Amino acid sequence: EEVPPQMREAILAFMLTIAIRNLRGQRKKHNSMLIHTSRFKDVQSSVKDAVSRSFEAISNQVQYNPQSKVVQEIKELYEQDFLPTTSEWPGDIQVFGWEEVYEELKKTVEKIQVFEINGNSKDALDYHQYKENGLNVIAVGGDKLSRGLTLEGLSITYYFRNTLMYDTLMQMGRWFGFRKGYMDLCRIYTSADIASNFEHLAIAMIELRHEFERLANQGKTPSEYAVRMLSHPTMTLT
């Protein structure tokens, strides 16, 4: 029915990310935000509608009402989260004052689109079509987004779809990748359980690689060994 507080914060963070990347000279790059809460298309449609309404209201306040509560929220998010994170990040990263960021934000909000990505929707993530100026998109979806579709410039992920299958979480949890020049701006919004499961999965994958290396060093062939993999109390190995 309406956007929950954490999703709203994720949308504000996405707006900030685009504005800061623009100021860093990455103005014509793609920017994507992923919202993945359910595999059911009717749920995705209602989420997309709520996000569109909320974003339009936020956009209007940013453009036309500098004294609004929304603009104050964004300023606080920038000063309490983005600035400290960037200042602690390795390397010499340029930081910008709030006024400069806000002026860029007013231009940024005009270029953000909300897409629903599933079999029922006419929306299509055609990044090539926007290669000249970059696509800024909030993508709401489910299985289609978790099965090999690349989200260019993915910076903000709002992910609340739980799964108990190892391979499904690996495919859907594509949160860490090559983010040159904006890694400090990336954010993941999820539950403690999903974060814990993903951490367990990452450890399981590292152990599995070590297992392969150990068996390779012994000169074993696949027919000579059974692969061990770290199990989980609730998740299922696939």
Side-chain angles (χ1 to χ4, degrees), residues 163-182:
T163 176
L164 296 178
M165 308 297 280
Y166 270 41
D167 62 332
T168 308
L169 185 56
M170 273 187 67
Q171 285 176 313
M172 294 192 297
R174 296 170 298 146
W175 301 323
F176 307 105
F178 188 64
R179 308 272 188 268
K180 189 173 183 180
Y182 64 103

Side-chain angles (χ1 to χ4, degrees), residues 1-236:
E1 295 284 321
E2 65 181 58
V3 169
Q6 200 175 28
M7 187 186 286
R8 177 186 167 86
E9 184 186 310
I11 293 167
L12 302 183
F14 183 56
M15 291 160 50
L16 277 171
T17 297
I18 300 171
I20 296 165
R21 287 192 74 191
N22 287 352
L23 292 171
R24 288 180 183 178
Q26 301 179 352
R27 194 170 293 277
K28 296 190 175 182
K29 301 291 187 184
H30 299 305
N31 291 286
S32 301
M33 173 180 174
L34 166 65
I35 295 178
H36 190 152
T37 59
S38 170
R39 59 185 286 264
F40 298 111
K41 293 173 186 174
D42 57 341
V43 176
Q44 292 163 23
S45 295
S46 64
V47 170
K48 189 247 181 174
D49 291 343
V51 168
S52 295
R53 288 193 304 271
S54 180
F55 177 73
E56 189 177 355
I58 292 167
S59 175
N60 287 335
Q61 295 296 319
V62 167
Q63 286 178 292
Y64 307 117
N65 188 1
Q67 307 305 319
S68 67
K69 185 183 168 190
V70 172
V71 172
Q72 190 58 38
E73 273 183 77
I74 302 171
K75 183 182 180 186
E76 286 176 11
L77 184 62
Y78 180 63
E79 292 178 344
Q80 294 173 17
D81 179 357
F82 279 76
L83 278 181
T85 303
T86 298
S87 64
E88 291 173 19
W89 208 262
D92 185 21
I93 304 174
Q94 186 180 4
V95 294
F96 306 94
W98 166 248
E99 290 305 322
E100 199 175 356
V101 172
Y102 178 55
E103 286 306 310
E104 190 60 44
L105 266 176
K106 288 193 277 191
K107 297 177 242 174
T108 296
V109 291
E110 296 178 356
K111 297 173 182 173
I112 297 174
Q113 301 180 68
V114 183
F115 284 1
E116 179 186 344
I117 308 301
N118 58 41
N120 292 353
S121 171
K122 296 187 180 73
D123 295 336
L125 276 176
D126 186 358
Y127 290 99
H128 185 73
Q129 185 185 332
Y130 296 87
K131 65 179 181 180
E132 297 299 322
N133 297 306
L135 174 63
N136 298 309
V137 63
I138 299 173
V140 180
D143 287 344
K144 203 167 177 180
L145 289 175
S146 61
R147 292 289 185 267
L149 184 66
T150 299
L151 292 166
E152 300 281 350
L154 177 63
S155 53
I156 308 294
T157 298
Y158 181 93
Y159 183 91
F160 274 83
R161 176 181 163 190
N162 207 0
T163 176
L164 296 178
M165 308 297 280
Y166 270 41
D167 62 332
T168 308
L169 185 56
M170 273 187 67
Q171 285 176 313
M172 294 192 297
R174 296 170 298 146
W175 301 323
F176 307 105
F178 188 64
R179 308 272 188 268
K180 189 173 183 180
Y182 64 103
M183 190 70 187
D184 59 304
L185 306 176
C186 296
R187 301 287 184 272
I188 301 164
Y189 293 82
T190 190
S191 70
D193 283 347
I194 294 172
S196 173
N197 287 352
F198 192 84
E199 183 179 4
H200 171 89
L201 195 55
I203 293 166
M205 291 306 296
I206 290 167
E207 289 192 3
L208 183 62
R209 287 192 182 97
H210 289 164
E211 184 81 354
F212 285 143
E213 287 164 9
R214 185 176 69 81
L215 295 161
N217 291 337
Q218 292 177 11
K220 301 282 189 184
T221 68
S223 61
E224 292 177 282
Y225 65 81
V227 178
R228 293 189 307 167
M229 194 164 181
L230 191 65
S231 62
H232 188 271
T234 55
M235 292 172 73
T236 306

